[in-house]
Amino acid sequence: MSNITAKINTPYYMCEEALLRKNLELLDFVQKESGAKIILALKGFAMWGTFPLVRQYLVGCTSSGLHEALLAREEFAQDNRELEVHTYSPAYKDEDIDEIARISNHIVFNSPNQLFNYAQRVKTINQNVSLSLRINPEQSSSPKDIYNPCGIYSRLGTTLANFDEGVLEHIEGLNFHALCEQDADALEEVLAAFEEKFGKYIKDMKYINFGGGHHITREGYDVERLIKIIKDFRAKYGVDVYLEPGEAVGWQTGVLVSRVLDIVHNGMDIAILDTSAEAHMPDTLAMPYRAMVRGSGEAGEKRYTYRFGGNTCLAGDIMGDYSFDEPLRVGDLVIFEDQIHYTFVKNTTFNGIKLPSLVIKRENGEMEVLREFGYLDYKNRLS
Ligand SMILES: *Cc1c(COP(=O)(O)O)cnc(C)c1O
């Protein structure tokens, strides 16, 4: 716990820039070796206080609509470099599309219908904008249905059966996004399906966007295989390749620090923390997965076992069971590992509980509290 200071009020997320740079360096290695361009998917990681670091490596962002695109424009841009803002939405709204056209370099449509509706209009507003269609390769080995964009009845992307060759005169690229926390072999399977279904269109494109879900920065990921896949693909078709990972950027770059508020007993020892699985670590319930806690073991593995619960009134607001060598005490810090991706971007003020602060540990060791939240963040979302 050496780098966790007791001075900052819990709960807080702490992103370590040294760890973030390590990820970015690996991603940059992939860019340089493969010739692909990598952009950040804001959906998974949007701590914009780190963007001055992130933009040293990545050429831009992919956004899921107007608000993320605005954030990319405002916070990722840098005077002396061309920033790429790619925007993809499952469906665009009439009142958003003009502004999206003004601030995006690429606009990706989900269906031929939306593309036909808006192609002319966005080109009139911004003649430099490049249009693309997201297709559904109908091949994914995504581990969970909730995270499988190619699952049965998926609304995400156009299947071959729904592809309309009329789109070809408007688009310069095709996108797919079919992976979730997966290795390069899964990409190979998706690419094979993509080429089988849409191969005849690829040569007419300027770029193909391979989406996100590439778990590049996870230990053991087959980086060399990814590089080879991209190089072979670029050589075969003469197109640019984009990757747009979110999770791989924020992967293992920091923690959620919380505190034990009380310990109660009901068949077992239960520690109530000043954070929440429901509000602050939602994927632990949705995925679901068990977040690692620093210094802990599985239930029963070490001498003292506790169930960790959140400080909301939701019965199921439970992080899991953890064991420790020493008994926990009220006031102890509890540190959840790897809580920087898909956490604060999904936070809610459910039950009025305080949002965790956002903290960066700079590379010189300084801790900077970027933002603290309070009552008004709760009130202003209600009326
Ligand atoms: C979520 C998403 C990403 C990023 O996925 P990660 O799993 O975080 O890498 C990229 N592209 C699209 C279209 C997405 O929906």
Side-chain angles (χ1 to χ4, degrees):
M1 290 191 198
S2 55
N3 52 23
I4 305 296
T5 160
K7 282 185 216 136
I8 299 172
N9 286 333
T10 56
Y12 62 92
Y13 298 98
M14 182 187 70
C15 178
E16 297 195 35
E17 283 200 329
L19 299 174
L20 184 57
R21 189 186 292 279
K22 203 171 125 225
N23 284 352
L24 292 165
E25 274 173 357
L26 179 57
L27 294 172
D28 198 34
F29 175 75
V30 171
Q31 291 191 114
K32 293 202 167 107
E33 292 294 312
S34 72
K37 289 183 177 182
I38 302 185
I39 55 180
L40 164 67
L42 292 174
K43 176 170 117 247
F45 174 78
M47 189 185 269
W48 45 269
T50 66
F51 286 180
L53 171 62
V54 178
R55 70 181 171 224
Q56 291 172 25
Y57 298 91
L58 306 186
V59 296
C61 301
T62 191
S63 46
S64 316
L66 178 58
H67 291 177
E68 287 185 358
L70 282 167
L71 186 70
R73 266 293 153 226
E74 285 183 11
E75 296 299 334
F76 207 91
Q78 205 180 18
D79 299 340
N80 56 358
R81 228 178 64 185
E82 181 56 24
L83 161 77
E84 289 196 28
V85 176
H86 297 210
T87 307
Y88 159 79
S89 233
Y92 294 104
K93 299 186 75 176
D94 230 51
E95 62 259 46
D96 293 345
I97 193 74
D98 293 354
E99 196 170 2
I100 286 172
R102 274 191 288 276
I103 63 177
S104 301
N105 302 83
H106 289 203
I107 298 180
V108 185
F109 292 94
N110 190 57
S111 70
N113 194 33
Q114 278 244 314
L115 189 144
F116 294 137
N117 271 343
Y118 290 124
Q120 195 82 56
R121 182 160 155 191
V122 299
K123 277 286 188 184
T124 307
I125 289 169
N126 177 0
Q127 62 177 7
N128 294 321
V129 73
S130 179
L131 306 187
S132 175
L133 181 74
R134 174 169 173 176
I135 60 86
N136 175 354
E138 297 176 84
Q139 156 64 44
S140 173
S141 42
S142 179
K144 295 280 172 189
D145 283 347
I146 183 178
Y147 295 116
N148 185 356
C150 303
I152 187 165
Y153 307 133
S154 174
R155 71 192 182 291
L156 304 172
T158 297
T159 59
L160 184 59
N162 291 303
F163 190 80
D164 179 335
E165 291 193 348
V167 303
L168 293 172
E169 64 174 291
H170 299 288
I171 62 175
E172 296 181 321
L174 291 170
N175 284 46
F176 62 78
H177 169 67
L179 302 177
C180 175
E181 298 190 336
Q182 283 169 294
D183 213 310
D185 55 346
L187 172 63
E188 238 160 38
E189 289 169 16
V190 172
L191 259 190
F194 171 65
E195 289 187 64
E196 190 197 314
K197 294 190 166 79
F198 298 94
K200 61 178 169 174
Y201 305 122
I202 301 175
K203 275 209 155 69
D204 297 327
M205 298 296 147
K206 281 192 179 155
Y207 54 87
I208 303 295
N209 185 319
F210 290 4
H214 316 277
H215 222 180
I216 300 167
T217 50
R218 191 200 60 222
E219 208 180 313
Y221 181 95
D222 195 343
V223 174
E224 292 304 326
R225 190 159 170 182
L226 173 68
I227 290 167
K228 182 169 185 324
I229 293 169
I230 297 169
K231 276 170 84 167
D232 289 351
F233 190 89
R234 290 179 60 237
K236 185 168 171 189
Y237 295 105
V239 292
D240 287 340
V241 168
Y242 285 93
L243 306 181
E244 47 181 31
E247 177 153 350
V249 176
W251 179 250
Q252 291 188 336
T253 56
V255 295
L256 171 60
V257 182
S258 65
R259 211 177 274 283
V260 177
L261 297 178
D262 196 11
I263 297 171
V264 298
H265 311 277
N266 183 7
M268 68 183 298
D269 294 332
I270 304 153
I272 299 174
L273 310 181
D274 63 357
T275 185
S276 162
E278 168 73 18
H280 306 154
M281 313 158 76
D283 276 359
T284 62
L285 300 178
M287 191 98 175
Y289 77 96
R290 178 180 182 274
M292 299 288 290
V293 168
R294 195 167 294 181
S296 76
E298 299 287 330
E301 188 183 329
K302 300 185 181 220
R303 187 151 168 212
Y304 302 96
T305 292
Y306 299 85
R307 174 159 297 180
F308 283 167
N311 199 19
T312 72
C313 301
L314 173 73
D317 192 353
I318 302 292
M319 292 83 173
D321 297 347
Y322 300 87
S323 67
F324 298 87
D325 291 326
E326 302 292 330
L328 284 182
R329 280 179 311 237
V330 168
D332 280 354
L333 292 179
V334 172
I335 299 167
F336 291 93
E337 303 283 8
D338 192 23
Q339 290 302 310
I340 298 299
H341 54 88
Y342 290 103
T343 51
F344 46 80
V345 290
K346 294 180 118 185
N347 276 186
T348 71
T349 54
F350 172 61
N351 230 188
I353 90 164
K354 183 169 140 21
L355 290 163
S357 304
L358 298 174
V359 177
I360 293 185
K361 187 181 179 199
R362 300 290 183 192
E363 285 171 296
N364 64 9
E366 250 168 54
M367 304 273 281
E368 201 176 311
V369 180
L370 297 182
R371 193 174 294 273
E372 286 185 273
F373 300 94
Y375 166 61
L376 286 181
D377 297 293
Y378 168 66
K379 183 181 179 189
N380 285 339
R381 301 184 55 217
L382 305 168
S383 71

